[in-house]
Amino acid sequence: MANDSTPQGSESENAPLRAPDTTADSAIGRAAGGHGGASPREMTALPPEHPAIAPLSFLLGRWKGAGKGDYPTIKPFNFFQEVAFSHIGKPYLIYTSRSWRLAEDENGEPQQDENGDLVRLEPLAVETGFWRPQPEGKVEVLLTPPSGITEIYAGEFRSLTSIEMVTDAVARTATAKPYTAGKRLYGLVPSQTREGEKDLAYAFDMAAMGQPLTPHLWAVLQWDWID
């Protein structure tokens, strides 16, 4: 967000949310159209999930929603975020995240347009990486924003659909801001707007700009695979 570090919940033992195969096939087909001589079916078929990613399958799909950011060195803000978890049949998940600042009303709450949609302003942060499940409920996560920082997280499951992780290592380029550590929590929580469904909540604490590990971002994202 303000420092180009983006990012997540409550614990749940319920069955994981999964993207419908037909929708995922359609999305991949649109992205892959026109390449090479493969048949449309060959181009759109999703590879089988690698058995190793089964514990992380509750994350698969695209998640969208609003959140809040704060830190001792910046003014509080509201943001909109899109997070996607995908796979290519290998023993890891591919992670991407994008966020935008939201317009605010006089009370500092997200502003809506005449159609009831949140009003996005300038882009805030982009982040990409890989989630690598390990034995005994462990997870290794590599994350990189375009701000000259690369993070390696060591995580573990707190429940079947909740993961907590902390930085094991942080590498910075010579021009990167002084970010030194992060802690993240991702988990499924009961949806407040869709009865019987689950949302993805997360929280991100960071140590940066001479500050100790301090809450920075928190959000609740809704599952939304459809373009």
Side-chain angles (χ1 to χ4, degrees), residues 151-174:
E151 302 172 79
I152 298 176
Y153 281 86
E156 60 183 332
F157 282 83
R158 296 190 357 165
S159 73
L160 291 179
T161 56
S162 178
I163 299 171
E164 185 175 41
M165 57 191 192
V166 296
T167 46
D168 184 52
V170 175
R172 303 195 310 267
T173 65

Side-chain angles (χ1 to χ4, degrees), residues 63 187-192 194 197-201 220-222:
W63 305 81
L188 295 188
V189 298
S191 176
Q192 299 298 309
R194 302 173 301 155
E197 299 291 338
K198 298 288 184 181
D199 293 337
L200 180 64
V220 177
L221 310 178
Q222 291 74 49

Side-chain angles (χ1 to χ4, degrees), residues 36-161:
S39 68
R41 184 59 194 168
E42 289 172 330
M43 294 301 298
T44 59
L46 264 180
E49 292 181 15
H50 193 285
I53 72 169
L56 296 175
S57 62
F58 72 93
L59 293 169
L60 286 170
R62 186 175 66 195
W63 305 81
K64 301 168 65 175
K68 293 183 178 292
D70 197 2
Y71 206 64
T73 59
I74 61 174
K75 180 181 177 181
F77 61 96
N78 291 277
F79 64 89
F80 184 86
Q81 187 172 11
E82 294 182 356
V83 170
F85 292 90
S86 59
H87 76 93
I88 57 172
K90 301 295 184 180
Y92 54 82
L93 295 188
I94 303 166
Y95 164 87
T96 58
S97 171
R98 299 184 298 166
S99 61
W100 297 260
R101 187 181 302 276
L102 288 175
E104 300 175 354
D105 60 23
E106 62 275 11
N107 298 316
E109 294 301 318
Q111 183 177 330
Q112 298 179 340
D113 61 19
E114 61 275 11
N115 298 317
D117 297 322
L118 296 174
V119 180
R120 301 188 201 182
L121 300 177
E122 74 273 14
L124 286 175
V126 179
E127 188 176 57
T128 187
F130 303 94
W131 291 50
R132 306 172 66 241
Q134 302 298 314
E136 301 180 351
K138 307 295 185 181
V139 184
E140 296 175 352
V141 179
L142 295 82
L143 299 178
T144 302
S147 56
I149 297 170
T150 295
E151 302 172 79
I152 298 176
Y153 281 86
E156 60 183 332
F157 282 83
R158 296 190 357 165
S159 73
L160 291 179
T161 56

Side-chain angles (χ1 to χ4, degrees), residues 6 12 17 62 124 135 182:
T6 296
S12 172
L17 294 176
R62 186 175 66 195
L124 286 175

